[in-house]
Amino acid sequence: MSVPMHPTLQKRFASLTDLTPIEFHALWGHSNAQFLEGRMLHSLILNQPQYWLSIPDRTLAGLWTFGPKFHGRVQETTLLTMIDDVTGELAYHVYLATQTDNKYIGFTVNLRMDKHTNVGAVAREFYFEARAVDVEGRKVGVECRVFDAQTSAVLMTARAMFVFMSFAQISKRSANTQSVPYEMQPQISGSCDIDTDLRGLDRVMNFLPPNTVTHSNGSLNTHTRTLVVGLDFGPNISGPPIYVHGGILATVLYNASEFLFAKSLGVEDDLINASVRDVNYYKGVPLECRNVTIDASVEAQDEKQVVVFAKLMQGPHVFTTLKTTFTLQSSTSSKL
């Protein structure tokens, strides 16, 4: 690898067998509309990722290095987005190696990320290993570990499930079946004095320009501990062609969940610790989709943790849900 890694990680990488270097997004084609390419690679936020693939071991390993135009701490949601992307890339390779029909595209149906160590303020290089652990027909399950490449600290582990579907299946996936939630979209009511605070949703990630996603209005109720926000999605943030990248969807839901957690429980930003993020994807969100609503609520709380559940909806259709477990530090829990 061109980027020096911690000796422990060098040994891990050397122990992997039958690895072949592959081109980033080799199977997907290249497009500025694709989020990682158009918004990260071409903007010099992310250097060209280095990937190595072993089909016999169903393993993909590699490095992510954040480039000269990136400033500030690498956010956990950015790494979640990278995990969603790389596990999808491995799922494609494994699927195409076992199936003769390549008319389907992979769609993330679930992604769970467990955090082990906080991302360091100066961390810029990350090593990952992803392995396909469940392969059955058009379903591929992938596990992934992400390390700080310089310290070898395990930052997070993740498990993702992909289902390969045709474009018609994704776009027409019914929202009134048992597999997809169907409920009434909440109404945004009350004062909108939180709009200034919600402008963070317009930025989505700290390296993106404003208006990648725009919020129209919102209402917060600290007594019921609920938040409703209206959103519009912009262009050039795709994962699968014509659909918003799953990492963007998870990020806007997390940002809203973090906002609700902090405001309703009075927790300072530097004490927020999200230990688990569990995302379910039910229906693709088209690029430049308008009038989408986030509905978030505090679902459970004890002395050690708080669970916030958030839904991304349009009308009765639930696109994506996120359940976030926030771990309370002793100084925080004593105030609640």
Side-chain angles (χ1 to χ4, degrees):
M1 291 189 178
S2 61
V3 176
M5 292 195 300
H6 191 277
T8 300
L9 298 181
Q10 292 179 10
K11 291 179 181 178
R12 285 187 66 98
F13 181 73
S15 69
L16 300 175
T17 59
D18 300 315
L19 289 176
T20 302
I22 63 169
E23 181 186 0
F24 173 69
H25 283 185
L27 298 178
W28 296 357
H30 301 287
S31 169
N32 284 340
Q34 212 282 337
F35 172 60
L36 262 65
E37 294 205 33
R39 296 300 185 107
M40 295 182 70
L41 286 180
H42 293 173
S43 299
L44 302 180
I45 298 299
L46 184 72
N47 293 345
Q48 187 73 24
Q50 302 175 50
Y51 287 177
W52 287 262
L53 174 70
S54 172
I55 286 296
D57 290 341
R58 295 175 172 175
T59 298
L60 184 63
L63 273 170
W64 302 318
T65 302
F66 286 80
K69 294 293 184 70
F70 184 87
H71 302 287
R73 184 190 299 266
V74 176
Q75 293 167 295
E76 293 168 9
T77 48
T78 302
L79 294 180
L80 182 148
T81 300
M82 299 298 295
I83 290 171
D84 180 49
D85 203 81
V86 76
T87 52
E89 186 143 0
L90 175 59
Y92 264 98
H93 281 281
V94 171
Y95 174 75
L96 292 177
T98 58
Q99 302 290 325
T100 57
D101 189 348
N102 62 357
K103 294 184 296 184
Y104 296 89
I105 62 171
F107 185 81
T108 315
V109 294
N110 177 259
L111 174 62
R112 175 186 166 117
M113 186 180 84
D114 292 72
K115 184 175 72 174
H116 299 271
T117 306
N118 287 328
V119 179
V122 298
R124 288 293 180 274
E125 295 91 25
F126 303 90
Y127 173 71
F128 72 85
E129 291 178 7
R131 184 183 299 271
V133 293
D134 297 311
V135 182
E136 182 180 354
R138 295 204 299 269
K139 295 181 180 180
V140 179
V142 179
E143 292 181 349
C144 185
R145 303 182 80 187
V146 178
F147 305 80
D148 184 322
Q150 300 306 313
T151 67
S152 79
V154 180
L155 300 176
M156 51 197 64
T157 57
R159 185 178 179 93
M161 178 60 69
F162 295 85
V163 175
F164 284 79
M165 295 179 266
S166 67
F167 279 111
Q169 287 174 310
I170 292 176
S171 61
K172 294 181 181 179
R173 198 175 182 202
S174 175
N176 57 7
T177 64
Q178 291 184 352
S179 62
V180 180
Y182 183 91
E183 52 192 274
M184 293 307 297
Q185 177 173 313
Q187 298 298 310
I188 297 175
S189 60
S191 64
C192 296
D193 57 356
I194 61 168
D195 277 3
T196 300
D197 295 320
L198 285 172
R199 286 177 187 164
L201 287 176
D202 293 5
R203 195 167 184 84
V204 185
M205 295 178 188
N206 55 5
F207 58 84
L208 287 175
N211 303 323
T212 302
V213 178
T214 56
H215 86 276
S216 52
N217 53 1
S219 60
L220 169 71
N221 189 319
T222 56
H223 298 291
T224 61
R225 299 193 293 185
T226 56
L227 171 69
V228 182
V229 183
L231 294 179
D232 295 329
F233 288 93
N236 301 331
I237 50 174
S238 71
I242 78 172
Y243 293 103
V244 177
H245 196 293
I248 292 287
L249 302 179
T251 298
V252 295
L253 285 173
Y254 173 73
N255 290 346
S257 299
E258 183 185 80
F259 176 84
L260 173 61
F261 170 71
K263 292 295 183 182
S264 61
L265 298 174
V267 179
E268 299 294 332
D269 289 348
D270 59 351
L271 296 179
I272 295 175
N273 179 35
S275 56
V276 180
R277 298 174 177 90
D278 194 349
V279 195
N280 283 303
Y281 299 95
Y282 298 103
K283 189 176 177 69
V285 178
L287 291 173
E288 301 189 66
C289 188
R290 309 296 183 189
N291 302 316
V292 181
T293 298
I294 291 178
D295 179 19
S297 61
V298 175
E299 189 175 72
Q301 178 182 346
D302 58 28
E303 293 182 354
K304 296 183 178 180
Q305 63 184 30
V306 173
V307 177
V308 176
F309 185 71
K311 297 171 289 190
L312 191 67
M313 308 174 63
Q314 188 181 57
H317 303 283
V318 177
F319 292 119
T320 309
T321 65
L322 170 67
K323 181 179 288 189
T324 306
T325 302
F326 293 96
T327 302
L328 297 173
Q329 299 183 24
S330 56
S331 58
T332 302
S333 57
S334 62
K335 299 177 182 178
L336 304 179

